[in-house]
Structure formats: C-alpha cells, structure tokens
Amino acid sequence: MQFARGAVAERGGVRFTAWSSCAERIWICLFDESGDRETQRVEMRRAEHGVFEAFVEGVAPGARYGLRTDGRYDPENGFWHDPDKLLMDPYALEIDRPYRLDPRLCARRGEGGDTAGLVPKALVPAAIAPLAEAPPLFRNGGLVYEASVHGLTMLHPDVPPEIRGTLAALGHPAIVDHLKTLGVDAIELMPVTAWIDDLHLPALGLSNVWGYNPVSLMALEPRLAPGGVMELRNAVAALREAGIGVILDLVFNHTGESDVNGPTLCFRGLDNHAYYRHLPGDPVVLANDTGCGNTIATQHPEVHRMILDTLRHFVTNCGVDGFRFDLAPVLGRDHRGFDPAALFFREIEQDPVLSDRVLIAEPWDIGPGGYHLGNFPTHFLEWNDRFRDDIRRFWRGDGGTLPGLATRLSGSSDIFGRNGHASTRSVNFIAAHDGMTLADITAYEHKHNEANGEQNRDGHDENLSWNNGVEGETDDDKVLAARERDIRALLATLFVSRGTVMLTAGDEFGRTQKGNNNAYAQDNGNTWLNWESRNRSLEAYAAALAEFRKSSRVLKETGFLAGKPLDGVAHPDVEWLDSMGNPMQQENWNDARNRRLTMLLSAGEGERVAVLVNGDRRQTVFTLPAGNWRAVAASPGQELRLEEGAVAVVPGRSVMLLAEG
C-alpha cells in the first residue's frame, strides 16, 4: 500500500512528502550506496496544512535518504530545528543500518556537528503488492507464544548460523515444528521495529535486546530483518502455512529520543510539540507516562494517522494477525486522562483493514490513573496481571487464596464481566518477558539483576516467588524435584484457565535468567534460549497440556461460568467440589488453610473435565463424581483408581487433569 507521507517511487523519480507544523524549511538529503556521502540536497516545497513535498528525478527504489529541517531553535520553549541533525523519515519502511547512540546526537545546535555519519538512512521502498485479504488465524481462547526473535533462535542448533537471530529463522522447520508440537495458535513477537539503546546503557557496556525503545515505528530493525519487509512477510507466510498466526508487539507510547537530554533522531527535530505530549501549559516539560522520558502524542491528528498507517502496513504488506500494544493506556489518553471511547479505538474498530485483527492491550502505564485492566473496548483482549499474581500467590502458599484461584481459572468475571459482558477478554499468563521466568519463580525468592549494572535497583522488588529452600542454582535432587513439580502445577493451572493463555518462549522447558527479572539489556546467554540443555520431560508435559486444551471444547470456551446447566445438558457448566466430591460450602471458601479444590467443567453430554488442585504439601485422595474418567497429561505420582468408585491420588502441590470418556 502507498501512503500520503514518506517516499513513493513514481515514473521518472521519487515523490517525497513530510509534515511539520513549525519547520520553516525541510530538505531531502540523498546519499550514495555506502550511506556515508551526501550526494544531493533538495529543498521541499511547502504545501497546505504543514505538508512539505518534493519530486526528485532520477531517484529509484533502494536510494538512501534523510531529512533536515530548519526553523526556530529554542529548546526552552520546545523548538528543536537544527539542520545539522539528519532526521529519519517517520514513514520509512526500511533503513540501511541499526541506530547507534552517540553523544553528538544529543548536542545542542552548533555544538555537535553534522550527524549524517552517525545515523541510519531510510531506503526508498520498492512497490509491494498487497496480500490477498485473509482473516486472522488466532481466536480468543487460543495459545499465544511470546518470543524475542533474537533470543528464540540465536542458539538453536538446527537453524543455520547465517539466519540465527533473524526473522528468517522463524520460518525454519525446526522453529515451526516446535511451535506446532506445542500447539501454538499465534506467536507474539517482541518489538521488531528499529530501536536505539537507552541513554545509560553504553557506559555500562550493555545494549537493549528487547527493543522497547523505538525510533522508527514502521521500519524493521536491520539486525532482525536484513531482508527488510519481505523477510517479515515471508516469515509470516511460513508460519501461516503451518496454522500459526503472527502478532506484533508494537510500541506507540514513547520513542528512543528520550527526554530533553536525549538524541535528536526524528520526531523531535521535525515537530517536538506535535509528536510528544507535554505537561499542560508547559511547552518544555515532556509528559512521562511511560517512565522512558517522553510520551507520544497519540491523539494528535498527524500522529494518530501515522499509527493507523503503520498498522495497515503490517496487515496489508506483511499479513500479520494482529497487535499487542505496549503500555496501551497511552493510546487512549490525552491531557484529561484515559478514555475507553477514544477516537483511536473507535477508528480501529471501524477500519476495513484493521477491524478483524487481534488486538491485545497491556492495560497499564505509570501515568496518572494509569491502571486500566478491564477498561479497554470489548474488541481488545487484555494482559491480566491479576491472574499472574493470584496464581503465584496460591502456589507460593499464601493463605486465603483459594477464592482468587477459582475466579482467575473461570475467566476473571469480576474484571471482564462488567456491564453484563458474557465472555472473558483475559490474556492469562504467569510469566512474561518482563519479570522472572516460570522456572525462576520457583527457584528465586528475590530478584538478581546485578548483571544490569544498577546494583540490583532495577526491576520489580515483589515477584511473588519462592525458592523451595535454596536460593538459585543447586544440585540438591529433592529441591530440583520440588521445583519441577511446582513448574508443572503452574503450567497446568495456566492451560486449564478460561480465556486466552500466553506462554513465554522457553518456559515450556524450564529456561532460566538466573533470577534476573529485567533482562532487557542482556544480549547473551541469559536471554538466548538454550535448546541443547532444555528439560525435555517438562517440554513434553507442556505439549501434552496444550494438546488436551486444543482437543477439549470445554477448555476453549470463553464464556463466563455460571454454575448452571447449559441448554439440553444435565450437568452445570461448572461445579466446585471439595476433595471428598461434595459441593464447596461457604465455610470451605472462607477457610484460609484450605488448599484443595476440584473444578468440574462440562460443555455437553459426555464431555466433562475435572481439574483436581492440591496446593497442600501432603498427598490427597480426591473422590470423583460417577463417570468414565481417564487421566490426562499426568505427572509423576498421580494415580487414578477405579476399583471402588473413582478416586484420584494427587501428590502434594500438583494439579491432576481428568477427562470423561
């Protein structure tokens, strides 16, 4: 698709279009094939409504270019025009090299010299034939697999070394087969658009590997996509052929230009007032609802348009299923606060390209009133940190957590059932990229972020984690067995929960970050998945859970549980039973020491699933209702006896799954 902004190849040359409400002059600067020598500078003609245009003859797709502006330079009043700063085109689809932080990029006008040799150049894009319309593969209730392209593929022994760490590796049979075995419905890729290191990292000898510090919102990170847009398009196609959708994690809440001490790379040099939110009545102080130094002014018409164009590009030209929005309240917030009926949300719902896409919100940021779980429009799924925390608290052993466990397992109707909604929009997860890994939750009581160079001050202090008696690495077989038992219990709890479930790459086979709960700057074996030493028994268990969930209609339902029979069905959709098989009474729920529960689910005659939860450390015998029961994805020590009525022996701190039939 073509945009009204950026570079568009036409007969005989290229038409360049840029926007700024405050620049007095804008130039297109063309560079040679090395990207190091400026060969031509063409001043753009001012048109209407802040638009600048230029048609440059003899230029073809692949040409390297950048922008320069001139005008008022008055940082104390929010104006940053400086012709020495080569700027990236906000509509660039490909760039020729990664961004690198350099102090000269942060220099004031007249002090740092020309920055053209320090920054990437945009590439004039070739025309891309739009993909045929195809509905998303992913549906609510499926399994999302969150992954960093780099970390997922860097150490995989079956992936050719030349493509490890890139989008091309996602389409390799070794990766595709793993995802299929695990029953993945969609892979959610952590940021793949071009980013720059955080201001403090170079001095520490570290670099940002997660990518949540973007500069270019459309252009792919060259280290992940040396083949440009087509590399993403081909990876998406390969995964779709295997029945796996792709969801992009996009950052529209801040940029790597940071605060007023940060580099001038793109938006600040074009129109600081338009692209960034400032405190009301203050043209200098940037709003910092993100904790990253600035906040994108998503409600500004030009910015709003750019974000929607970005989404359309990734759907039309790359075929993605949808998007996960980092710190998503920014998308619906202006100076008055967050509005679930914001124009951005309404336009996505009505857009012919975007209306059917998967939309996932991270529903919090650090801005005023920044926590909005359950408040997003109904066409959004939402990361549910209440699920994460309540499940961790239960398995850590906190008292009085059984009611919270039941509420989270059944779809979190207290959050998503407001205003009469009948189904959940919850994305259930226990671990994500941000925080401890699933294995580390059971092995570390405290965070260990010393490798980040900030004296362990960064990252969350409360992780609701436990160590099973030893902090960190150990060769004690009893401790290791206890940790694996806990990981299996956490996985089973996740896979039987109502809603979409999300698993972070490597958690299925026990990956560790050695207690680091903020590994964004660890571009090394701390974040690269170690495929050679993975726990294959645990991996097989996770795959069995996924297969059971995928084959069971009752586990894929997203409607809230009512405890009443469905139409034409004798059994209620859910029964909550004690370990003796009796209905749970209020005193059972109120008993802070009670850690045993049976969730009996029904979706129709002959299809029932029993989830036996034993959070106690002691082995427990559970009595089952009459039925033809069989054990599913059993863990060591779990036993089903049918001689004198159905009873199940459930070891301490474990979950046993049974299916009827």
Side-chain angles (χ1 to χ4, degrees):
M1 65 182 298
Q2 293 186 341
F3 305 108
R5 303 282 185 268
V8 177
E10 298 179 357
R11 183 186 296 272
V14 173
R15 184 168 302 282
F16 296 93
T17 307
W19 179 89
S20 174
S21 68
C22 56
E24 296 173 9
R25 304 173 73 183
I26 300 181
W27 293 270
I28 288 291
C29 300
L30 297 167
F31 290 82
D32 64 8
E33 291 186 2
S34 71
D36 297 326
R37 184 173 65 89
E38 186 175 337
T39 59
Q40 188 176 4
R41 186 177 300 192
V42 178
E43 184 164 0
M44 305 179 78
R45 179 183 64 85
R46 182 190 296 273
E48 296 180 340
H49 310 299
V51 175
F52 290 74
E53 298 176 330
F55 181 81
V56 184
E57 295 181 350
V59 179
R64 289 165 166 80
Y65 73 97
L67 304 173
R68 297 183 193 269
T69 72
D70 200 0
R72 183 177 176 185
Y73 185 82
D74 183 6
E76 285 66 32
N77 285 289
F79 295 93
W80 291 81
H81 298 295
D82 179 357
D84 279 344
K85 297 291 193 299
L86 189 74
L87 306 176
M88 180 57 65
D89 179 359
Y91 273 75
L93 299 185
E94 295 182 11
I95 62 177
D96 69 346
R97 68 196 75 180
Y99 289 95
R100 301 292 184 194
L101 196 59
D102 187 288
R104 288 170 288 178
L105 298 172
C106 308
R108 293 295 180 106
R109 182 167 176 164
E111 296 178 1
D114 193 320
T115 64
L118 306 175
V119 295
K121 313 304 182 295
L123 300 175
V124 173
I128 304 174
L131 291 165
E133 292 185 15
L137 296 175
F138 181 81
R139 293 289 183 270
N140 187 11
L143 169 61
V144 173
Y145 188 79
E146 185 198 32
S148 155
V149 173
H150 199 65
L152 177 66
T153 64
M154 276 297 290
L155 296 180
H156 201 296
D158 297 329
V159 173
E162 61 270 19
I163 64 169
R164 290 178 190 170
T166 72
L167 285 163
L170 295 179
H172 189 275
I175 300 298
V176 174
D177 289 348
H178 180 75
L179 298 178
K180 288 176 65 177
T181 299
L182 197 55
V184 170
D185 295 298
I187 184 169
E188 180 179 300
L189 301 180
M190 290 166 61
V192 295
T193 57
W195 69 82
I196 194 168
D197 286 334
D198 309 66
L199 289 175
H200 68 286
L201 289 181
L204 298 173
L206 299 172
S207 61
N208 188 317
V209 68
W210 280 358
Y212 292 95
N213 203 39
V215 179
S216 297
L217 304 185
M218 294 186 181
L220 298 173
E221 169 58 50
R223 289 168 291 187
L224 301 183
V229 173
M230 292 307 297
E231 185 162 341
L232 176 58
R233 179 165 166 154
N234 292 338
V236 171
L239 290 163
R240 280 190 68 90
E241 187 175 355
I244 301 166
V246 173
I247 296 170
L248 298 184
D249 189 342
L250 297 179
V251 182
F252 293 136
N253 55 74
H254 79 284
T255 81
E257 290 185 310
S258 190
D259 58 22
V260 294
N261 297 310
T264 297
L265 299 164
C266 179
F267 306 106
R268 173 177 289 138
L270 282 167
D271 195 324
N272 175 63
H273 286 130
Y275 282 107
Y276 295 119
R277 282 188 51 229
H278 293 70
L279 296 186
D282 193 325
V284 179
V285 180
L286 294 161
N288 190 18
D289 296 341
T290 64
C292 301
N294 62 51
T295 303
I296 294 176
T298 56
Q299 304 307 311
H300 188 282
E302 191 68 24
V303 181
H304 175 93
R305 173 183 189 162
M306 177 183 63
I307 293 174
L308 290 174
D309 282 344
T310 301
L311 300 180
R312 295 182 189 114
H313 159 63
F314 284 123
V315 173
T316 303
N317 294 330
C318 301
V320 302
D321 268 24
F323 309 96
R324 181 261 189 189
F325 298 101
D326 183 65
L327 303 183
V330 170
L331 297 172
R333 182 191 278 115
D334 58 20
H335 64 280
R336 296 166 296 185
F338 176 78
D339 181 5
L343 179 63
F344 177 79
F345 300 141
R346 288 185 278 119
E347 288 204 351
I348 285 185
E349 188 174 20
Q350 297 164 6
D351 191 279
V353 174
L354 304 175
S355 61
D356 68 343
R357 295 298 105 176
V358 180
L359 306 172
I360 302 175
E362 182 185 35
W364 51 77
D365 61 28
I366 67 166
Y371 188 78
H372 287 282
L373 178 63
N375 293 339
F376 277 74
T378 56
H379 53 294
F380 275 77
L381 305 179
E382 300 183 34
W383 272 27
N384 187 351
D385 64 327
R386 292 279 298 280
F387 180 95
R388 176 197 66 196
D389 293 352
D390 285 351
I391 301 307
R392 289 191 189 188
R393 286 190 178 98
F394 176 82
W395 287 109
R396 185 172 67 172
D398 294 14
T401 52
L402 197 66
L405 171 72
T407 300
R408 302 301 154 232
L409 285 175
S410 53
S412 297
S413 60
D414 58 330
I415 298 168
F416 299 104
R418 302 168 189 162
N419 302 317
H421 295 303
S423 60
T424 187
R425 300 183 290 109
S426 180
V427 176
N428 299 329
F429 67 100
I430 298 171
H433 70 270
D434 186 8
M436 285 188 175
T437 70
L438 190 65
D440 286 355
I441 292 167
T442 73
Y444 293 88
E445 188 172 344
H446 308 287
K447 68 179 182 182
H448 293 270
N449 296 358
E450 291 81 5
N452 294 352
E454 299 182 49
Q455 291 77 51
N456 206 32
R457 294 191 300 265
D458 62 306
H460 298 294
D461 291 324
E462 177 52 87
N463 296 280
L464 304 174
S465 59
W466 59 98
N467 62 21
N468 279 289
V470 177
E471 185 74 359
E473 296 180 354
T474 181
D475 57 4
D476 188 313
D477 289 340
K478 289 185 178 179
V479 172
L480 294 174
R483 290 175 178 176
E484 179 161 340
R485 174 203 61 203
D486 287 353
I487 296 170
R488 286 177 177 244
L490 289 164
L491 283 170
T493 305
L494 175 65
F495 275 93
V496 300
S497 64
R498 184 148 290 208
T500 291
V501 297
M502 187 184 80
L503 188 68
T504 297
D507 281 352
E508 69 272 23
F509 52 69
R511 77 180 181 103
T512 178
Q513 292 177 172
K514 299 180 181 179
N516 193 321
N517 73 354
N518 189 34
Y520 74 104
Q522 298 298 310
D523 189 6
N524 50 48
N526 215 20
T527 55
W528 302 348
L529 271 61
N530 189 336
W531 293 90
E532 295 281 14
S533 65
R534 64 192 195 266
N535 185 332
R536 292 182 181 272
S537 174
L538 184 62
E539 182 180 337
Y541 178 69
L545 288 172
E547 182 180 9
F548 178 48
R549 179 181 176 89
K550 193 176 285 284
S551 65
S552 172
R553 183 160 61 95
V554 67
L555 292 180
K556 291 187 294 187
E557 293 284 345
T558 59
F560 292 122
L561 298 167
K564 299 177 182 179
L566 304 170
D567 292 342
V569 177
H571 301 296
D573 58 358
V574 65
E575 296 178 72
W576 302 101
L577 310 175
D578 63 19
S579 60
M580 298 300 293
N582 302 313
M584 288 280 288
Q585 303 299 319
Q586 196 61 47
E587 55 266 28
N588 302 123
W589 292 113
N590 292 339
D591 184 353
R593 297 169 298 174
N594 185 17
R595 306 193 54 74
R596 304 185 185 97
L597 178 69
T598 294
M599 179 173 69
L600 188 62
L601 298 167
S602 173
E605 292 294 345
E607 184 180 359
R608 287 194 294 175
V609 171
V611 180
L612 314 181
V613 179
N614 182 12
D616 199 292
R617 294 193 176 275
R618 296 166 293 179
Q619 173 180 288
T620 299
V621 175
F622 281 71
T623 300
L624 299 166
N628 182 22
W629 297 102
R630 59 182 174 86
V632 178
S635 288
Q638 296 181 347
E639 181 185 0
L640 178 63
R641 300 174 185 168
L642 300 173
E643 294 87 355
E644 299 178 3
V647 297
V649 179
V650 183
R653 294 184 61 77
S654 68
V655 176
M656 186 172 182
L657 307 181
L658 304 169
E660 191 174 33

